[in-house]
Amino acid sequence: MSNTENADNSIKSRLNKLFQEARDEGSFITFDSSKGGEWLDVSSFTDDELAQITNNKEGSFSKDLSIYAQAMLAQRAKLSLEPFEAAIGYGDFRGEAAAIRTLYNHMSQNVRDALGWTESMVEVGEEMASHSGKALNKSHLKTLWDILLEVAQQGGLSLQNSPNQDNLQKSDDKAI
């Protein structure tokens, strides 16, 4: 993980630049579209950077900016889980539970905190999914990994670490 103090200064600098660019273009950044202006483009920010803004441990960011960063991070999580929604409609939660476990295993504690994801939440989801039918096996997890990588490239949550046997084995052992 990066040094929070250095990352925080970098984040502030990048945010200030975005606000200044909007002013230079005769506009302003807004968190309420009814007031005009433009939305803050945080697409270049990492999940961890958005989490640092959301968690706002040093009180460096406004409440509106923290809420906005949390919403953008939540949107990335939602996008990452969209490929599994169709199966949920049929009562099969296994793919989503495996995706959540995989994402959880690859996100920083900052991101977990910002999203409110905990180990117990993940385990409860896995337990519920275990009643959905046959367990997923390692070949399913490889496909899952490919789906999550593709969605990450389209704006979903990033996968900070490459998949390794331990993470795949942990998911497989849980018999989702």
Side-chain angles (χ1 to χ4, degrees):
M1 268 201 264
S2 61
N3 179 314
T4 303
E5 183 176 302
N6 291 337
D8 192 52
N9 288 331
S10 171
I11 292 169
K12 284 189 238 178
S13 173
R14 289 172 51 211
L15 286 169
N16 288 337
K17 183 178 177 186
L18 291 172
F19 278 86
Q20 185 60 49
E21 287 173 356
R23 283 190 296 274
D24 290 348
E25 294 170 3
S27 187
F28 60 95
I29 300 293
T30 186
F31 302 108
D32 179 356
S33 61
S34 69
K35 297 179 180 178
E38 59 189 74
W39 293 108
L40 181 63
D41 179 7
V42 293
S43 60
S44 67
F45 287 72
T46 66
D47 298 342
D48 196 62
E49 289 169 332
L50 288 176
Q52 288 178 49
I53 297 168
T54 299
N55 297 335
N56 201 12
K57 291 178 182 174
E58 304 296 320
S60 302
F61 307 106
S62 72
K63 181 179 178 183
D64 287 339
L65 181 57
S66 293
I67 291 168
Y68 184 77
Q70 183 180 34
M72 295 298 100
L73 193 57
Q75 180 60 32
R76 289 181 183 183
K78 181 182 183 305
L79 184 62
S80 293
L81 297 174
E82 278 180 2
F84 309 98
E85 285 181 7
I88 292 170
Y90 295 103
D92 187 347
F93 299 93
R94 295 172 298 161
E96 183 181 61
I100 289 171
R101 167 56 72 190
T102 302
L103 291 169
Y104 183 84
N105 286 345
H106 289 85
M107 62 178 58
S108 70
Q109 189 61 49
N110 272 338
V111 175
R112 291 174 183 164
D113 292 344
L115 290 172
W117 286 20
T118 64
E119 179 65 29
S120 62
M121 176 210 81
V122 175
E123 289 173 355
V124 166
E126 290 171 335
E127 175 62 27
M128 289 173 48
S130 70
H131 301 292
S132 294
K134 186 178 173 187
L136 297 176
N137 61 37
K138 286 183 183 176
S139 65
H140 293 123
L141 294 175
K142 176 63 176 152
T143 302
L144 170 79
W145 182 256
D146 293 336
I147 290 169
L148 291 173
L149 278 177
E150 182 178 325
V151 175
Q153 293 171 349
Q154 297 169 2
L157 290 171
S158 64
L159 296 167
Q160 297 177 358
N161 305 315
S162 62
N164 63 47
Q165 198 61 29
D166 293 339
N167 288 336
L168 291 177
Q169 185 65 42
K170 184 174 183 179
S171 292
D172 190 42
D173 289 346
K174 296 234 178 222
I176 297 170

